[in-house]
Amino acid sequence: MTVPTFDMFIEPILRYLSAHPAGAPARDVHEAAANALRLTEADRQELLPSGIQPVFKNRAGWAHDRLKRAGLSSSPRRGFWQLTPDGLAFVAKNPKALSDEQLEELATSHTDVRLRGAAAEMAPSVAGPAASAIAASPDDRLEEAVAELRRTVAAEVFEALRRVSPTFFETIVLDLLHRMGYGASRADLQRVGGSGDGGIDGVISLDKLGLEKVYVQAKRWQQTVGRPEVQAFYGALAGQRANKGVLITTSSFTAQALDFARSVERVVLVDGGRLAELMIDHEVGVTLRPVKVPKMDSDYFEEESA
C-alpha cells in the first residue's frame, strides 16, 4: 500500500491523544497513527524525495498542524502533543468515525485560501486522479513541484545531449566525472578519442602519479546498446591493461548488455536517463537555485527556567 494523504492522519491522531489527555511525545503519536492506518514496515521506511524525513511522519505532522490551527490540539513543549479542552470536547461529541466533510473542514478551514487553491492544482499528480484538494500537504506540493521541474530539466538536458557534436559530448562526460570527484584536478581527465582510440574516449587519473586510471567511452548512440558493444569496450580495457571502465551513452542498454557488465564487474554502464540526472545533481550544464523554506526554530522560544 501507499502512505495515506495527510488528512487521513487527523482522526487517528485525535483518537490517540484523546486516550492520553495528559499528552504524548510526537514520536509515540506518529507510531500510533501508523498502526491505526495499518502501515507496513516498507510504508514507514518510505522517505520524502528530499530524503530528510519519513513520509508518514511528515504527513502526521501536517495533520497535527491542522488540529492546532483548529484549536483542538497544542504543542506545550517541543516534540510533545496534547489536545486542548476544545479538542477533548470535540472527540467526546464525535465518538464515531468522522465524516469526510468533517475531515475536509479540519484540513482546510484554517488554512490560507491560496494554499487550498494550490492544493487543487497539485493534488491529482500527488495522490491520483480521485484525490481531493485537501489530499496534498504543503510539503507534498513542494516536493511534487520540485520533482516536476527536475523531470522537465532532465528531458531538456537529454535532448541537448543528443544535439551536441560527438567531440563535445566526450568533453561533457569528462566535465561531469570531474564534478563527481574523479581526478584531483580537471587536468587529470584527458580526452583521447579519435581514430585509432581503441574504443577509449577519455582517461581519468585517480592519483597524482597516474598509477590508477579509469577509462571512459562516451558515445551518442541512437540505437539501444547491446552486449557486443559492451564486450568490445571490455576488450579495449584489456588492451590497456585497465581495471576500471565507464561506458556512457545517450541511448539505453539491452538486458544482455547489463548482464554482461555485472558479470565482469569492472565495467559501469550509464544510460542517457541516468546521465541527465547526474548532470542535474552535479550542476553540469544546469544551474540549481536555492529555495528557502521557513521552519520555526522552537529552541529559540524556549525560556530558561529561573
Side-chain angles (χ1 to χ4, degrees):
M1 65 177 291
T2 57
V3 179
T5 50
F6 86 96
D7 52 305
M8 294 294 100
F9 283 81
I10 290 177
E11 180 146 20
I13 290 174
L14 265 176
R15 303 299 176 189
Y16 182 81
L17 289 178
S18 69
H20 299 78
R27 62 178 178 273
D28 292 350
V29 186
H30 293 157
E31 292 301 324
N35 292 337
L37 293 169
R38 299 182 179 179
L39 299 190
T40 65
E41 186 58 33
D43 295 331
R44 301 176 200 222
Q45 295 299 320
E46 182 183 344
L47 298 177
L48 294 170
S50 61
I52 62 175
Q53 187 183 32
V55 170
F56 87 96
K57 289 187 177 182
N58 178 269
R59 293 181 181 173
W62 281 110
H64 187 250
D65 171 79
R66 296 302 189 258
L67 290 174
K68 288 195 296 182
R69 291 177 185 236
L72 302 183
S73 191
S74 66
S75 297
R77 60 181 183 274
R78 188 178 186 184
F80 193 86
W81 297 352
Q82 182 179 21
L83 289 188
T84 63
D86 285 347
L88 292 170
F90 178 85
V91 174
K93 185 179 178 180
N94 297 276
K96 297 183 179 180
L98 300 180
S99 66
D100 291 342
E101 291 75 14
Q102 286 175 305
L103 287 176
E104 183 171 357
E105 175 70 16
L106 288 173
T108 63
S109 63
H110 300 279
T111 60
D112 189 291
V113 68
R114 289 170 295 178
L115 289 182
R116 296 206 299 274
E121 295 178 4
M122 294 303 300
S125 58
V126 173
S132 69
I134 66 171
S137 71
D139 275 334
D140 286 331
R141 296 195 298 271
L142 178 60
E143 296 282 0
E144 176 62 20
V146 171
E148 183 179 356
L149 287 169
R150 187 182 179 95
R151 289 192 296 268
T152 300
V153 172
E156 292 172 345
V157 169
F158 182 73
E159 287 303 314
L161 289 172
R162 294 167 68 91
R163 292 194 302 267
V164 300
S165 68
T167 298
F168 187 52
F169 179 66
E170 293 167 6
T171 300
I172 290 172
V173 166
L174 292 179
D175 285 342
L176 171 62
L177 293 172
H178 174 57
R179 293 296 290 271
M180 291 176 66
Y182 292 95
S185 70
R186 182 61 178 82
D188 294 328
L189 287 78
Q190 300 178 354
R191 192 177 70 80
V192 297
S195 59
D197 62 13
I200 305 298
D201 298 312
V203 181
I204 308 169
S205 295
L206 298 182
D207 61 273
K208 287 295 184 181
L209 296 178
L211 297 175
E212 178 110 21
K213 295 181 178 180
V214 174
Y215 289 80
V216 180
Q217 185 176 94
K219 299 297 185 186
R220 290 192 309 112
W221 275 293
Q222 298 297 321
Q223 69 277 13
T224 302
V225 181
R227 177 170 177 150
E229 289 81 11
V230 178
Q231 284 181 308
F233 177 57
Y234 182 72
L237 294 179
Q240 298 288 340
R241 297 182 180 179
N243 292 320
K244 300 181 177 72
V246 182
L247 198 163
I248 301 178
T249 178
T250 52
S251 182
S252 59
F253 297 96
T254 64
Q256 293 78 9
L258 293 170
D259 288 341
F260 177 78
R262 283 191 288 266
S263 71
V264 298
E265 294 185 345
R266 62 183 182 180
V267 174
V268 174
L269 305 181
V270 178
D271 63 19
R274 187 179 179 193
L275 174 58
E277 293 288 340
L278 289 171
M279 289 179 67
I280 293 174
D281 289 337
H282 298 279
E283 296 188 69
V284 176
V286 175
T287 300
L288 299 180
R289 65 178 188 267
V291 177
K292 294 185 178 181
V293 180
K295 181 179 181 180
M296 191 185 78
D297 182 358
S298 301
D299 290 340
Y300 177 83
F301 294 94
E302 291 289 339
E303 296 187 49
E304 295 184 4
S305 302

